[in-house]
Amino acid sequence: QKEVEQDPGPLSVPEGAIVSLNCTYSNSAFQYFMWYRQYSRKGPELLMYTYSSGNKEDGRFTAQVDKSSKYISLFIRDSQPSDSATYLCATGFFSGSARQLTFGSGTQLTVLP
Amino acid sequence: DTGVSQDPRHKITKRGQNVTFRCDPISEHNRLYWYRQTLGQGPEFLTYFQNEAQLEKSRLLSDRFSAERPKGSFSTLEIQRTEQGDSAMYLCASSDGPGQSTDTQYFGPGTRLTVL
């Protein structure tokens, strides 16, 4: 079992829809949680990070973490065609020697105009 | 701030050849990471440096792989005797390290390796 499991998609929605992207993780020791966006053949671009349970908003994006159920979500409001990309969730530690991120496999999103 | 840069962006090589990739991190970032990403998968950690010290290596980093960061600035990743299974996107990331609560990693554009 992978440490971070992500809904594989692909996901196709009409412009303006609310998008929900989801991940679960198995290691309760993970301390922070990130969402990256990756356009085709490009490097991942950081969207949001959070380290506590609850919601964090940034414009049209909301990251939600539930540590008790080990569940991570990203919501995109008023989705736009420019949001079409692969979305990667990632978890990590900010203490100790293991600093690498553990990624989900990504969800490919297409927003149709 | 010019971001993380990687060179080359694409590399095609024949099986058995050696290849070397370069990563230039964001200026003054003291942590540098290498990841590998295959099609349809998320990035997988290979190794990371704090300044010039290589602090951790994944079991994915076989003996054919070696990484260096000689002066704590740019880094190189070398693959010897390449195999077709090495075909992937090699991503570099950097972060500003100790004292930062999230150690946020910023990624470069990647080097896409194709082994024929």
Side-chain angles (χ1 to χ4, degrees):
Chain A
Q1 182 189 5
K2 290 186 176 181
E3 285 193 287
V4 180
E5 298 275 3
Q6 185 167 1
D7 290 350
L11 191 58
S12 183
V13 300
E15 184 175 355
I18 297 174
V19 176
S20 171
L21 304 166
N22 305 297
C23 292
T24 57
Y25 62 95
S26 57
N27 187 345
S28 58
F30 284 129
Q31 294 172 304
Y32 69 95
F33 311 91
M34 295 183 161
W35 284 95
Y36 284 84
R37 177 174 62 195
Q38 187 173 28
Y39 292 111
S40 181
R41 297 184 177 270
K42 304 287 186 184
E45 169 196 9
L46 179 66
L47 275 178
M48 298 188 71
Y49 70 85
T50 183
Y51 49 86
S52 58
S53 282
N55 294 348
K56 182 177 180 180
E57 241 182 75
D58 184 1
R60 296 184 296 110
F61 298 90
T62 299
Q64 186 177 80
V65 174
D66 182 343
K67 287 188 175 182
S68 62
S69 57
K70 302 192 194 71
Y71 202 81
I72 315 164
S73 296
L74 178 72
F75 298 96
I76 307 174
R77 291 183 300 280
D78 188 25
S79 55
Q80 303 294 309
S82 59
D83 295 329
S84 298
T86 296
Y87 289 79
L88 297 157
C89 61
T91 60
F93 304 94
F94 51 74
S95 58
S97 62
R99 295 307 184 105
Q100 66 270 26
L101 294 175
T102 301
F103 283 86
S105 55
T107 300
Q108 186 177 346
L109 171 67
T110 302
V111 181
L112 302 170
Chain B
D1 181 358
T2 57
V4 178
S5 61
Q6 293 186 244
D7 184 69
R9 296 292 308 277
H10 301 96
K11 179 70 177 178
I12 300 173
T13 191
K14 292 183 179 179
R15 189 166 48 114
Q17 298 295 304
N18 299 344
V19 295
T20 300
F21 310 140
R22 176 179 170 127
C23 171
D24 287 87
I26 293 171
S27 178
E28 298 179 357
H29 275 190
N30 56 28
R31 287 196 176 147
L32 187 149
Y33 305 77
W34 285 99
Y35 291 82
R36 181 173 71 185
Q37 186 177 25
T38 53
L39 197 63
Q41 300 297 315
E44 294 178 293
F45 169 74
L46 292 177
T47 188
Y48 98 92
F49 294 83
Q50 181 163 312
N51 299 312
E52 65 275 11
Q54 189 173 17
L55 294 187
E56 189 144 348
K57 292 193 285 188
S58 161
R59 67 184 186 283
L60 293 176
L61 211 68
S62 76
D63 291 345
R64 297 185 297 106
F65 288 69
S66 62
E68 292 184 342
R69 195 182 182 197
K71 296 183 180 179
S73 56
F74 73 91
S75 175
T76 58
L77 177 68
E78 181 183 16
I79 309 174
Q80 296 182 324
R81 304 181 304 281
T82 52
E83 301 173 355
Q84 288 184 323
D86 297 330
S87 296
M89 174 85 92
Y90 290 83
L91 292 161
C92 176
S94 69
S95 70
D96 48 12
Q100 304 304 315
S101 62
T102 58
D103 203 16
T104 305
Q105 295 182 30
Y106 297 91
F107 282 82
T111 294
R112 182 169 296 280
L113 172 66
T114 301
V115 181
L116 302 176

